[in-house]
Amino acid sequence: MKKSFLSLMMALVSFTLSWGGNKVERPKLVVGLVVDQMRWDYLYYYYEDFCEGGLKRLVDEGFSCENTMINYLPTVTAIGHTSIYTGSVPALHGIAGNNFMEKGKEMYCCSDSTVKGVGTTSSAGKMSPRNNKATTIGDELRLATNFKSRVIGVALKDRAAIFPAGHSANAAYWYDNKVGHFVTSTYYMEELPKWVEQFNKQNATKKNEDQKMKPEGVSITFKMAEAVLQNEQLGKGDYPDMLTISVSSTDAIAHSYGTRSEETKAAYMTLDKELAKFLSLLDSQYGKDGYLLFLSADHGGAHNPNYLKQHKIYANGWDASGLMKTINEKLAAKFGFNKLVLAHHGDFFYLDHAQIESGNLNVDDVKQVVIDELLKEDDLLYVVDCAKASTATIPQIIRERIINGYNRLRSGDIVAIPRSQMFSWKFKDDYIGTTHSQWNPYDAHIPLVFLGWHVKHGSTSLPTYIVDIAPTICAMLHIEMPNSCIGNAIQPVVGMER
């Protein structure tokens, strides 16, 4: 009798905690919105120009973490999107850049030769999340609901759709300019859903026309996101679903025209209007407290050097490619091997370890020659052996970011830390664009605003980090954080739940 009673009580507890008992309170839909290259200060720089229902609404009604920083190097798109959704850093999740080297070979972050494109026959379809070695918010949500929750990613850039959605995502859709519509890969499905085929027919653009270079690229991204909600009926079932959206045009346009251009402003005005429409749709479909949305960015962006110099603010470029050539000449003269520095990606330099090993060279001796040559450049403040960064005599904040960004299988061996506002390539006096990748606030300070389910209006200037986003969302959903997460739930946000 006691055994039967105990079994009954255990069954009741299990039922109470189960989804069938509907006792775990969660929103109907989670929306992650990442705006590529959105500096934190854009929330206020453009504030007076925003309409009432878009980005201004996020500031006026949401909860803003005003001091959110990226805590690794380099600050680039693939890493940013991966780190937001994994709560982790390149040292652990393995996405060491948009491009990186592995065993001496160049790799694109989400390339996958084992899959084929769906909706395209071009190489743009041969993509998957397999290079990411960590789980995401979406993966953990699906695990928590026995894969009943659905997760879908949308972006123009492949890496911005794929890495946020995660390994177990139901779908990820990105734009192939060669065919002029959204595509996916056989990692997710064997053929496009009929509604996607119809969407593509109705919204096709000219082939080989880069939609990222137009404000219209923002519009088609939101249009696709809305189509996903409608056709997949996300948030309409018994389990919470997740939609990840990334706006790519803001990055491409700023790269070409800079942070203070009319072209960049036009992209943000389009973003604002499209976001206002999207939030209105979410309100009507799920209720203002029925969905949880966060907005952030994968990185910021530096002001154009020529623009700064016009206003007496120091900025310049250093010739990383030219220096690599000079360094290789020095190395060849000393060790008798050509091109011991294989490549550089931004401020990071990769050594040819195969040559070093076959030639029985001491890798530390090779590194020291590279370091000594780079340090001859006055505009380089520090040059660091990434594997020994923990003992480098450099400011702690930079040391920590090098360590977090260093993946021993995929990262460069040596990193140069230039003075502020220094690009790793020469530019001309008529150059008007920008770039990003450095530790400085212009690249590392990003917006982070929460809106909707159990979120009250407010803000905090307490230090928060890009890796804190995932554990915060997971804490609010009462699910486990991603398996390589090093961040912490943001208490002023999580504390609003009840």
Side-chain angles (χ1 to χ4, degrees), residues 175-181 205-211:
Y175 212 81
D176 183 358
N177 294 323
K178 292 182 179 179
V179 296
H181 61 233
T205 59
K206 292 180 181 179
K207 294 180 181 179
N208 299 310
E209 185 176 78
D210 191 354
Q211 293 304 302

Side-chain angles (χ1 to χ4, degrees), residues 115-190:
V115 302
K116 297 179 181 179
V118 177
T120 181
T121 57
S122 79
S123 60
K126 296 181 179 180
M127 305 291 167
S128 85
R130 286 193 174 110
N131 290 329
N132 172 25
K133 304 305 181 183
T135 61
T136 64
I137 301 170
D139 291 328
E140 296 299 331
L141 177 60
R142 282 175 53 74
L143 280 164
T145 62
N146 290 324
F147 298 94
K148 298 296 197 307
S149 292
R150 291 168 296 159
V151 179
I152 297 176
V154 173
L156 296 185
K157 290 182 181 181
D158 45 28
R159 55 190 182 268
I162 290 168
F163 290 134
H167 297 276
S168 65
N170 301 85
Y173 300 106
W174 57 94
Y175 212 81
D176 183 358
N177 294 323
K178 292 182 179 179
V179 296
H181 61 233
F182 281 95
V183 302
T184 189
S185 79
T186 52
Y187 179 89
Y188 303 98
M189 62 191 74
E190 294 300 319

